[in-house]
């Protein structure tokens, strides 16, 4: 057997071993949830005490929704959807109700979800009338033969499947509109440094040992030409595989796409034997090396959570059966919850 074939077989054995390690034992009853609400240049003092408290309250509300599902023995897929829906309904976060505006003054929403048990996934891009895009992404996964639907087609699919529709004006908030107006005067000024990369996401492990990941975003203020970032791209902004990891990313999407960031984390665990924190950190380093910024959350097959970023902050939180009191963090120098 040639050396190249030996190497190929060795890599295959490593991958199979990771998969055969499979989900954690259901008898253990373990569950875990981690979330993010976007990354940016978030220095202490940039946020008023009231706004900081509001962000932490929003993170806690989202985790409460997901933890409720997991405590009751629900699936990780249900948990991440429930978690992200709460964040989409909160105008503080750039997803759903709090989505930023395109250069044309519209709200175009992206989302994706992936089931680590089946490797099924669903995603939508540029939707304009679905109240909760993450639920539409799940409908694409479960009620269509496709993975990604975009723009008018995604809107039509949503209507046909009976998901809650809203007038596009529902997504308008004055704060986001003011950011667009400022952007139109100066294309950098409106990019709020405390929420530069506003995406929300969740990763979870359920009591049956299955993982799932979900991500949702309004994109970037002033985006043009139907721009789509990494959030609805499976393998870039979202990925999940039982026994290996679940990942949701936030940042300069073009760079996360180029580095296949979410899948890269899982590959580092499965193929290189890295721990989840090291895999996340090294992936963010690879993104930084080509000029990208942002962060990601990851969870391995045993429910261990990791938070990695190369910005000065990321809205984040975690809760689990081992640590049932939910914890949040915002600033880069603030210890991430476990």
């Amino acid at each position: 057997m040639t050396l190249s074939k030996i190497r190929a077989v060795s890599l295959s054995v490593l991958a199979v071993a990771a998969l055969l390690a499979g989900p954690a034992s259901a008898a253990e009853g373990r569950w875990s949830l981690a979330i993010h609400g976007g990354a940016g240049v978030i220095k202490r003092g940039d946020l008023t005490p009231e706004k900081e408290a509001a962000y932490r309250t929003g993170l806690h509300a989202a985790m409460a929704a997901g933890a409720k599902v997991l405590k009751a023995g629900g699936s990780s897929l249900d948990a991440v959807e429930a978690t992200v829906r709460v964040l989409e309904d909160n105008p503080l976060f750039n997803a759903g109700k709090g989505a930023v505006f395109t250069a044309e003054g519209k709200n175009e929403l992206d989302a994706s979800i992936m089931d680590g048990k089946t490797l099924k996934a669903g995603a939508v891009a540029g939707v304009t009338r679905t109240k909760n895009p993450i639920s539409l992404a799940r409908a694409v996964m479960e009620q269509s033969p496709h993975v990604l639907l975009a723009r008018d087609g995604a809107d039509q699919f949503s209507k046909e499947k009976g998901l809650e529709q809203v007038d596009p004006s529902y997504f308008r908030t004055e704060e986001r509109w003011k950011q667009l107006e400022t952007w139109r005067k100066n294309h950098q000024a409106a990019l709020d440094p405390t929420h530069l990369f506003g995406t929300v996401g969740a990763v979870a492990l359920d009591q049956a040992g299955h993982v799932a990941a979900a991500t949702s975003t309004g994109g970037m203020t002033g985006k043009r030409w139907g721009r789509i970032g990494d959030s609805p791209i499976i393998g870039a902004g979202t990925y999940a595989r039982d026994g290996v990891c679940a990942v949701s990313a936030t940042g300069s999407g073009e760079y996360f796409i180029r580095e296949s960031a979410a899948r890269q984390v899982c590959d580092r665990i499965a193929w290189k034997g890295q721990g989840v924190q090291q895999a996340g950190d090294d992936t963010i380093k690879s993104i930084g090396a080509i000029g990208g910024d942002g962060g990601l959350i990851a969870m391995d097959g045993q429910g261990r959570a990791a938070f990695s970023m190369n910005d000065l902050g990321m809205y984040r939180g975690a809760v689990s059966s081992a640590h049932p009191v939910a914890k949040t963090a915002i600033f880069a120098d603030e210890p991430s919850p476990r």
Side-chain angles (χ1 to χ4, degrees):
M1 183 179 291
T2 66
L3 180 59
S4 62
K5 288 183 178 180
I6 291 173
R7 286 173 175 168
V9 170
S10 297
L11 288 173
S12 296
V13 170
L14 284 173
V16 170
L19 293 176
L20 289 179
S25 170
E28 296 172 351
R30 289 185 296 175
W31 58 267
S32 186
L33 173 69
I35 70 172
H36 72 79
V41 183
I42 313 167
K43 299 177 182 178
R44 293 185 183 275
D46 283 348
L47 298 175
T48 66
E50 294 77 15
K51 196 158 190 178
E52 179 182 335
Y55 274 115
R56 292 185 189 274
T57 297
L59 294 171
H60 276 288
M63 286 189 286
K68 181 179 180 180
V69 173
L70 295 169
K71 288 177 183 176
S75 72
S76 55
L77 198 63
D78 287 343
V80 295
E81 180 187 8
T83 300
V84 170
R85 282 177 62 96
V86 173
L87 294 169
E88 288 177 337
D89 291 343
N90 188 331
L92 284 174
F93 299 98
N94 177 17
K97 177 64 176 174
V100 299
F101 286 89
T102 68
E104 292 75 29
K106 299 179 180 179
N107 303 108
E108 297 181 353
L109 314 174
D110 307 334
S112 62
I113 193 166
M114 188 165 183
D115 182 1
K117 177 182 178 181
T118 63
L119 298 187
K120 290 182 178 180
V124 292
V127 300
T128 62
R129 292 179 174 274
T130 302
K131 183 174 183 287
N132 291 106
I134 195 63
S135 294
L136 177 54
R138 185 169 180 178
V140 172
M141 179 181 74
E142 296 180 334
Q143 301 180 50
S144 87
H146 308 301
V147 171
L148 174 61
L149 299 182
R151 304 180 73 80
D152 292 347
D155 281 336
Q156 181 62 31
F157 177 81
S158 178
K159 187 176 180 180
E160 289 180 5
K161 296 304 177 181
L163 276 75
E164 184 175 359
Q165 304 293 296
V166 294
D167 186 89
S169 63
Y170 163 81
F171 300 107
R172 178 190 173 106
T173 61
E174 285 306 308
E175 182 175 1
R176 300 301 190 196
W177 185 255
K178 288 178 181 177
Q179 289 175 4
L180 175 65
E181 289 179 326
T182 306
W183 179 89
R184 286 171 170 170
K185 297 175 184 177
N186 178 339
H187 287 190
Q188 294 300 317
L191 299 180
D192 179 1
T194 67
H195 212 302
L196 186 58
F197 303 121
T199 299
V200 305
V203 294
L205 171 80
D206 61 32
Q207 293 188 43
H210 304 301
V211 296
T215 309
S216 183
T217 188
M220 298 174 64
T221 297
K223 62 182 180 181
R224 298 177 174 179
W225 309 300
R227 179 263 185 188
I228 297 171
D230 64 309
S231 295
I233 306 300
I234 302 302
T238 304
Y239 195 76
R241 181 185 288 266
D242 270 8
V244 183
C245 78
V247 181
S248 176
T250 172
S252 46
E254 284 73 10
Y255 297 92
F256 282 71
I257 293 171
R258 287 160 57 185
E259 279 291 332
S260 301
R263 175 62 189 262
Q264 182 181 148
V265 176
C266 293
D267 286 349
R268 286 180 177 277
I269 293 172
W271 297 92
K272 297 190 71 174
Q274 290 187 332
V276 65
Q277 187 66 58
Q278 188 65 56
D281 291 347
D282 285 353
T283 297
I284 289 297
K285 286 179 183 178
S286 74
I287 290 167
I290 61 172
D293 299 290
L296 60 81
I297 58 173
M299 182 170 289
D300 67 14
Q302 302 303 308
R304 290 180 288 257
F307 302 84
S308 300
M309 71 194 88
N310 62 2
D311 280 314
L312 294 182
M314 179 168 66
Y315 303 95
R316 57 203 189 275
V319 63
S320 68
S321 54
H323 301 282
V325 178
K327 302 292 186 181
T328 63
I330 296 177
F331 310 105
D333 62 359
E334 184 177 8
S336 289
R338 288 290 184 268

